Amino acid sequence: MESACVLVPRRSTCLCRQRGELSPHQCASAPAQATASPAACYQELRRFPAVTHAALGSTAGGQTFLLYTECSRHDVPRHRLLRFSRHYSLQRTAGGLAVSRAALSAEFHNQLLSQDSPSGQHRAVLSRCPWQGHELLEVWGSSGRSHSVDLTALGKHGKVYAEGPFACLAWSHSEAQLLYVAEKSRPKPRPPGPWDVPGAARLVEEDEDEGEQFVYHEDWGEALSTRSVPVLCVLDLVSSRLSVLEDIPEHLSPGQALWSPDDRGVVFVGWWHEPFRLGLRSCSNRRSGIFHLDLASGYCELLSAECGATCSPRLSPDGRRLLYLEGTVGGPHRQCLRLRMLTWQTRQTVTVLEVVQEPTEAFAGIYTEELPPRCWAADSRRVVLSTPQRSRTDLLLVDTEAATVTNLTAESPEGCWELLTLQWDLLVATCSAPNSPPSLVVAVLPPAGQELPLCWVPVEDAPTVPGVTWKTLTVQPPCNGQSPTAHSTQAFEALLLSPPESMAPHPLVVCPHVNYRGSLGFGQASITSLLSRVGEQDVADTQLAVEQALHSEPLDPHRLALLAGSHGAFIALHLLAREPKRYQACALRSPVSNLPALLGTSDIPDWRYVSLGLPYSFERVPRAEEVATMLLRSPIAQVAQVQTPVLLCVGGRDRRVSPTQALELYRVLRAKGVPARLLWYPEGGHALTGVETEADVFGNCARWFLQHVGQPWRDRMGRHST
């Protein structure tokens, strides 16, 4: 199979994955010479690093700044993630910014977290000692290392949370204390020794722990299986004293903490975990609140709404305003969020930006999972954030007093922007597109009212993938008399990646992505339109996008393939059953195939009800008619119609969609004589991440398509089929 077009029907999470993650379909759209070997193609596309962290430091005079970045890149031959730092000098001039390299790149090992102090004079680094496994918290400055504390040896808590929704590492304003989140220390049962006599008397404290060794401890689900009971910890750098904050209510799990303006308390997000925990990864609909804990009195105050879903508290530079995101508890796992702001002294809260039901050309709503760690401008009035806007991810500037929004990147050719940091009115961001890896850029934020046009200066530029172009297709659903609401006929979008026109007609690889009419970036009404219509509206939208592409683009209708994951795989399986002869090959990752079977195996059982328009409560037990409805909407119920060869890739540790879903599907396909192959990655989770795993999935998907899609059919005159 020569180079293929790639169609991604979506209502947008973003044009390409954040921080340069490579999506498997990019190989299919690379030029023919690059796809001769899937492994060579993968290594070529993986050589571009992703910027994962950035921090700015100011020198005397305030005209020269030091930019520190942390990057990562897959070292495929060695099956490891290569992590390294880069340093730059930014000089403010009359013409804008001048950028130069300040030092050579340097690899770093075993680092888990790093955070610069407010002045930029110190850097806190959390690392793990490779030979002992101990976690060390160190502070570095211009004179070298000033502090080093072995947190594990102190025994005050379990492992520090270095990533995920709870994680943080926050300096106090005085730069004398550090705040972070760790797992609560759990007593370890003493293993029996050879000197223990059966039936002999034991110490009282040993008797208290008897029978506790195999007690089940809940965790927070997919990708958070080691997160159960988080605690807030404070390290005093003056006294080297480590404290675990004890006054947080027991029904809350704290995270995303920062210091209050006077350093006398801490602000944190608290998630309710009673009566039991539901999966938190990629779920902004869990009940949570913004709290303030006074360190002197131990009083814990709720600052946000009683029954909301909040996250990302960000304090303004002047310490007067606290910004955060707020959504609705329950419903779809990702929603349009409102932007809220609290005045610290008065405790009065206002809504800066409300939930957008129907998008406008100027603003489609806020859908990001978190605000950038540093998002405030120096005037403590404006903030910058990145969020999906239709099929783009743009940078938006919000005036918190005027409640206005300015899209800073709407006119840029790149479709995916991410803000890394905003300090001293210097913006550091990455921009990318489906055919272009992330480039690091900087800009000066002009005064209020003069933000456009913004002049971006490249720091590290990444070349586009040669021979690949992309565009956005607008797809208009037909009017359905049974559902005359606005969202039932609202247009959605699909992205088309294409190789050179000279190679037409192209095969087409269709990549369904959550959720079409029902995905992010097009208003809350669009998101809720999918509820009760899963397996119908999303499938119909995908097929409509395919038909439009086949009619308007130079594509070969006899060589179509499906590449999808999770709910996208659910849609792909429905397509295979509905049109058994349409697609020649299918490759699926972590597929959803049997909805009722997920009720007792998924970390998000609530979605099984909500997706069908049914209410959910913690005490709910499924009724027979509800299980029957779920089964009728499941691809497994129509799998007898599938004829297309199917490749299945699953992770043995997937907590969101049990790998037994794919195993059941694999067995049924094999029994019917349909070509099927199952790849089982024992340590893989739902996203199938990891250097070796991602490379293997990519290569197997590419080879599956090369094997089953085949070469173009030509008639006796040598002409391509139409």
Side-chain angles (χ1 to χ4, degrees), residues 363-592:
F363 181 50
I366 297 177
Y367 307 90
T368 182
E369 286 194 90
E370 62 178 353
L371 296 172
R374 293 177 183 262
C375 60
W376 283 95
D379 58 14
S380 292
R381 170 174 174 167
R382 297 173 295 164
V383 296
V384 178
L385 56 92
S386 55
T387 182
Q389 298 288 284
R390 293 182 169 82
S391 287
R392 297 175 56 92
T393 295
D394 283 313
L395 298 185
L396 305 183
L397 182 139
V398 181
D399 187 317
T400 60
E401 294 183 6
T404 57
V405 179
T406 303
N407 193 321
L408 299 176
T409 56
E411 302 302 321
S412 69
E414 299 84 5
C416 185
W417 288 78
E418 181 184 9
L419 180 66
L420 297 173
T421 189
L422 169 55
Q423 297 170 257
W424 298 290
D425 282 347
L426 289 178
L427 295 157
V428 182
T430 59
C431 58
S432 60
N435 63 344
S436 177
S439 294
L440 183 66
V441 294
V442 294
V444 177
L445 182 65
Q450 304 174 33
E451 292 91 356
L452 294 179
L454 205 59
C455 182
W456 292 100
V457 178
V459 178
E460 289 285 349
D461 206 2
T464 59
V465 179
V468 178
T469 60
W470 68 277
K471 62 182 175 181
T472 302
L473 305 179
T474 300
V475 185
Q476 181 66 57
C479 182
N480 185 349
Q482 297 178 351
S483 182
T485 56
H487 60 251
S488 66
T489 57
Q490 185 182 18
F492 63 97
E493 294 179 348
L495 307 180
L496 185 69
L497 283 70
S498 304
E501 287 292 332
S502 60
M503 304 171 65
H506 311 296
L508 179 65
V509 178
V510 181
C511 302
H513 203 287
V514 182
N515 276 333
Y516 323 103
R517 279 181 297 169
S519 188
L520 307 180
F522 286 75
Q524 183 65 20
S526 172
I527 294 174
T528 56
S529 74
L530 187 62
L531 305 185
S532 78
R533 297 181 177 90
V534 293
E536 298 174 354
Q537 177 175 288
D538 43 6
V539 178
D541 282 0
T542 303
Q543 191 56 39
L544 185 62
V546 172
E547 297 299 334
Q548 178 169 316
L550 290 174
H551 281 87
S552 62
E553 306 295 329
L555 301 171
D556 186 343
H558 302 289
R559 292 190 298 156
L560 305 184
L562 282 163
L563 176 66
S566 193
H567 185 81
F570 169 88
I571 296 170
L573 287 168
H574 273 296
L575 291 170
L576 294 183
R578 292 186 184 188
E579 298 195 56
K581 298 184 182 298
R582 168 66 86 176
Y583 297 94
Q584 284 67 56
C586 178
L588 305 177
R589 292 163 285 114
S590 310
V592 175

Side-chain angles (χ1 to χ4, degrees), residues 678-711:
L678 175 62
L679 301 177
W680 188 289
Y681 301 90
E683 301 302 315
H686 187 62
L688 291 175
T689 57
V691 177
E692 187 174 9
T693 298
E694 290 182 43
D696 193 76
V697 170
F698 186 100
N700 271 287
C701 291
R703 285 188 290 271
W704 190 257
F705 292 156
L706 290 170
Q707 176 185 351
H708 293 286
V709 175
Q711 296 300 318

Side-chain angles (χ1 to χ4, degrees), residues 341-359:
M341 185 173 67
L342 176 139
T343 301
W344 188 257
Q345 286 297 113
T346 64
R347 294 298 199 266
Q348 291 182 335
T349 303
V350 297
T351 298
V352 179
L353 296 175
E354 189 51 89
V355 170
V356 173
Q357 293 295 329
E358 300 290 345

Side-chain angles (χ1 to χ4, degrees), residues 71-75 78-83 107-108 691:
C71 307
S72 65
R73 182 173 65 83
H74 281 209
D75 188 348
R78 295 176 178 83
H79 302 303
R80 70 185 186 108
L81 187 68
L82 179 66
R83 304 173 66 202
E107 184 179 4
F108 57 85
V691 177

Side-chain angles (χ1 to χ4, degrees), residues 661-674:
Q661 296 260 309
L663 182 59
E664 178 189 33
L665 182 64
Y666 171 76
R667 288 170 172 169
V668 174
L669 292 173
R670 288 290 297 259
K672 289 179 68 278
V674 176

